[in-house]
Amino acid sequence: MSESGDVAVQTRPDHVAVVEIRRPPHNYFDVNLIEELADTYDKLAAGSEVRAIVLAAQGRHFCAGADFAGTSTAAAVSAEEGAPALYRAALRLFTAPIPVVAAVQGSAIGGGVGLALSADFRVASPETRFVANFSRLGLHQGFGLSVTLPAVVGRQKALDLLYTGRRVGGQEAFEIGLADRLAPAEGLRDAALAFAAEIAAAAPLAVRSIRQTMWADLVPAIQAATEREASEQAILRATTDFAEGVRATAERRDPRFTGR
């Protein structure tokens, strides 16, 4: 087990590496954390021992995205430079050559859904919740969700989830393809490890080649989308609706939007 900053890495004999985010309980991200994850992926890819990665998180929840309310130790993601820098770092996750299986326990919220969708696969439990809640914050979606979400669940379902910002439970996530496998909460990480081990048992050079081909068209689209996402977010963060959305979320109440 090696640990640097907020990311721990465990390399297993079956050629699977567990990359664990350690910012419990909500595992909010910032630019530094996403860069650290990308650096970790690059280091693992530089060797020949690791053939698949399980992206996991310590604590109750997978990832609650960016901490707009400023209640954690995560650095603020500013509208000016923070979001573009964050999404440049995020793009490196999509271009990593090693397949990634995300073990999504608890909740993946906002950009946390985007992080889960940077992986090739997601393993969830019936208790898992995916919440692309940007519209409930008065904000545009980010982290490449404009491309990755419809690619996984289809355009119409993506519009449903983005417009409403509603919660999607693990069973529904599995039914619509947002989760690839469903496992009991207590066995979720083991199920992700078993899935990753299946991938690692295949010819590693072939798997890397297949991944590069399968992501080749998506990566440029994600890059273009994140540039627009960051621009739209900067505009919307100056609105009273965004301030109300963040305040309502912190106060655990329904937002009262005015369209200003």
Side-chain angles (χ1 to χ4, degrees):
M1 173 78 74
S2 65
E3 186 171 356
S4 174
D6 295 311
V7 175
V9 181
Q10 179 188 23
T11 304
R12 295 160 46 92
D14 58 1
H15 302 289
V16 173
V18 179
V19 176
E20 184 180 63
I21 301 169
R22 293 192 167 183
R23 285 185 175 178
H26 300 296
N27 293 301
Y28 289 111
F29 62 54
D30 53 21
V31 176
N32 291 336
L33 179 64
I34 299 303
E35 287 181 341
E36 193 174 349
L37 282 176
D39 289 344
T40 300
Y41 285 11
D42 288 346
K43 289 175 184 176
L44 293 173
S48 59
E49 288 303 308
V50 174
R51 301 176 183 179
I53 293 170
V54 170
L55 176 62
Q58 188 179 59
R60 182 178 177 185
H61 299 294
F62 176 73
C63 179
D67 180 16
F68 293 112
T71 59
S72 72
T73 58
V77 180
S78 68
E80 293 75 22
E81 176 56 22
L86 176 70
Y87 297 152
R88 285 193 296 271
L91 192 66
R92 295 174 57 199
L93 302 180
F94 294 102
T95 59
I98 301 178
V100 179
V101 177
V104 186
Q105 86 281 12
S107 296
I109 301 173
V113 180
L115 178 60
L117 283 166
S118 72
D120 298 80
F121 304 101
R122 285 146 297 284
V123 178
S125 78
E127 292 76 27
T128 300
R129 297 291 180 266
F130 295 87
V131 193
N133 66 333
F134 299 90
S135 65
R136 302 288 294 176
L137 289 172
L139 196 63
H140 190 285
Q141 71 271 13
F143 218 99
L145 277 165
S146 305
V147 173
T148 58
L149 189 58
V152 169
V153 304
R155 174 180 170 82
Q156 291 307 113
K157 186 59 67 175
L159 290 175
D160 169 6
L161 302 184
L162 291 172
Y163 285 175
T164 66
R166 66 180 179 85
R167 295 181 180 183
V168 176
Q171 183 62 45
E172 183 185 358
F174 180 65
E175 291 170 356
I176 66 176
L178 186 52
D180 298 279
R181 296 193 181 180
L182 205 61
E186 63 274 14
L188 189 152
R189 187 173 297 197
D190 286 342
L193 287 168
F195 193 177
E198 288 183 53
I199 298 169
L205 296 181
V207 170
R208 288 194 181 205
S209 178
I210 291 167
R211 188 183 200 277
Q212 185 175 25
T213 298
M214 298 304 291
W215 283 89
D217 292 337
L218 284 176
V219 169
I222 292 168
Q223 182 173 12
T226 54
E227 291 174 359
R228 175 172 172 79
E229 288 170 351
S231 175
E232 291 297 316
Q233 286 181 340
I235 294 169
L236 290 171
R237 285 178 67 148
T239 65
T240 57
D241 273 355
F242 174 69
E244 165 62 11
V246 172
R247 188 163 51 246
T249 299
E251 295 172 359
R252 297 181 178 274
R253 61 172 174 80
D254 290 335
R256 296 183 287 273
F257 294 126
T258 60
R260 294 196 297 270

